[in-house]
Amino acid sequence: RPHEKSLSEPRESERRAPSLSPEERERISRNLSVSQRAALVGGGLGALSNFAAGNAFGATILMVGLAGLLVSVLLLRAGRLHLSAIVFEITLVSAIHALAAAGDGIHDTAMVLYPLAILTAALMLDRGLLIAVTAACVTSTVLLVHQRPPIDWDVLVNTTIILVVSAVAVDLLLRDLIHGAAEARTKERRLAQAYAELEARNTELE
């Protein structure tokens, strides 16, 4: 019956959700928590430094960013891992772009933080999130270059290449490491099973 079918079949949102084992979810949660703490400390120190230097606008940007990071932390503690990661990445990329736009544009030191945003996205093991964050970083780079004409095409092309190559390299490296770890765990389980079977046969022979 239609009602029984709707109960037995998973909802569309559940079928689309990435399948994570409890161990993977715990590892990703730890990675995100470490990233959040580092961003909170860095953002706090940066806000104090800007206040001390008389840069109230830069300090305000960082304070708004800290508020976004706190929301991400609360979501993670509430068990909303994926939403917490999304809020974290949006906050991080937005803060970097705002700092660069208010500073020296594409040549601002805040630009060096974009690879960090890509790295933390890769640690979530969500390729869709990684692609979205990389696209956001590239879009920000384009906007920053157009902010101050004439357009420096060399800087734009080189920065875009660095961001894309960084995303691809980190993604491939992490997935290779995870695949290798999974294979090692599989071999350990097979070895343990073979040892248990051997012990059982020895017991029968005795």
Side-chain angles (χ1 to χ4, degrees), residues 60-167:
T60 302
I61 293 173
L62 289 170
M63 293 299 292
V64 173
L66 289 174
L69 292 175
L70 289 175
V71 172
S72 176
V73 170
L74 293 176
L75 288 170
L76 181 61
R77 291 184 178 180
R80 306 294 299 276
L81 175 59
H82 191 249
L83 183 57
S84 175
I86 292 175
V87 173
F88 176 81
E89 291 297 336
I90 290 175
T91 302
L92 188 58
V93 173
S94 299
I96 296 171
H97 178 82
L99 288 171
D104 297 326
I106 192 67
H107 301 288
D108 196 88
T109 54
M111 291 294 297
V112 301
L113 296 175
Y114 273 140
L116 175 62
I118 291 174
L119 174 60
T120 54
L123 290 174
M124 298 302 104
L125 302 182
D126 185 341
R127 187 162 285 169
L129 178 62
L130 176 60
I131 293 173
V133 170
T134 304
C137 293
V138 172
T139 301
S140 170
T141 300
V142 173
L143 293 175
L144 290 171
V145 168
H146 279 270
Q147 178 182 343
R148 298 183 180 181
I151 298 175
D152 193 338
W153 291 104
D154 288 339
V155 173
L156 176 59
V157 171
N158 291 335
T159 305
T160 301
I161 291 174
I162 290 172
L163 293 175
V164 173
V165 170
S166 298

Side-chain angles (χ1 to χ4, degrees), residues 6-23:
S6 64
L7 291 176
S8 60
E9 291 184 355
R11 290 177 296 180
E12 187 68 20
S13 60
E14 292 176 349
R15 289 197 295 265
R16 291 179 179 177
S19 178
L20 295 174
S21 67
E23 294 79 10

